[in-house]
Amino acid sequence: MYPDHFEKEDLIKCGHGELFPGDMRLPIDEMLMVDRITHIAGDDGEYGKGSLVAELDINPDLWFFKVHFDGDPVMPGCLGLDAMWQLVGFFLAWSGGEGKGRALGAGEVKFFGQVLPTAKKVTYYLDIKRMIKRKLTMAIADARMEVDGKEIYTAKDLRVGLFTSTDDF
């Protein structure tokens, strides 16, 4: 079994296909929106099917503050949403799923705050609602994102699948 926490070096290994068997990979370099996973378990959370907590350290030198927007730097909301999808895929691989991860949608996404260059830390919380391990391996999760302890994004029914072939995707 895998550990219940992962450091940046582990996440980089996952980006190069060196952490889990199969093809599941996290993004690399700037698109990896997570610095560490502080908790992962398969039998807890709001629905009793697993949870994950992860963090991203914020500093004014992050690439997206330079381009989004000129004179009004803010982390794009889509990057926070993508981070939550990344983490659902990571949970699938951690729990034994194999294949290439693909985001499949979300039921409801709400943004009611922002990440500015003055922030220190983003924290992601995921609660797994459902795991499917048949021909398709998929997880459905609810998630929320906090910046410096204040909730700013929520997402319900995030869906990520693992595919052994993406030729017809």
Side-chain angles (χ1 to χ4, degrees):
M1 192 65 180
Y2 297 107
D4 63 357
H5 66 281
F6 295 86
E7 297 299 325
K8 183 76 169 202
E9 298 79 29
D10 301 313
L11 303 177
I12 291 169
K13 286 180 185 176
C14 187
H16 294 287
E18 300 168 359
L19 187 61
F20 301 116
D23 292 325
M24 195 309 197
R25 297 169 188 239
L26 286 172
I28 60 171
D29 301 329
E30 289 86 1
M31 281 306 297
L32 178 60
M33 300 306 301
V34 178
D35 285 321
R36 73 197 66 79
I37 294 172
T38 59
H39 170 82
I40 187 169
D43 59 357
D44 65 356
E46 183 176 346
Y47 306 101
K49 298 185 182 200
S51 71
L52 184 150
V53 180
E55 298 173 340
L56 172 67
D57 297 325
I58 302 297
N59 71 70
D61 295 326
L62 289 169
W63 68 273
F64 46 80
F65 290 132
K66 296 176 179 91
V67 297
H68 189 269
F69 297 98
D70 187 29
D72 182 24
V74 61
M75 177 181 170
C78 61
L79 292 180
L81 177 60
D82 192 70
M84 293 186 274
W85 273 318
Q86 291 174 20
L87 292 166
V88 176
F90 187 92
F91 186 91
L92 279 170
W94 175 86
S95 64
E98 292 188 27
K100 297 176 181 177
R102 297 294 186 265
L104 299 175
E108 177 182 274
V109 176
K110 293 184 180 180
F111 301 133
F112 37 90
Q114 58 186 348
V115 180
L116 300 173
T118 54
K120 299 298 179 208
K121 182 171 66 175
V122 165
T123 308
Y124 308 100
Y125 298 90
L126 271 69
D127 288 301
I128 304 301
K129 291 175 86 168
R130 186 170 179 208
M131 292 278 291
I132 299 168
K133 290 186 178 179
R134 295 185 202 127
K135 186 176 179 184
L136 168 71
T137 300
M138 183 174 81
I140 301 171
D142 287 347
R144 70 184 196 278
M145 181 176 136
E146 295 180 355
V147 61
D148 296 335
K150 178 185 174 192
E151 186 175 274
I152 62 166
Y153 302 173
T154 57
K156 294 188 182 297
D157 298 325
L158 291 170
R159 293 180 298 282
V160 173
L162 297 181
F163 297 85
T164 53
S165 171
T166 56
D167 292 343
D168 296 324
F169 186 71

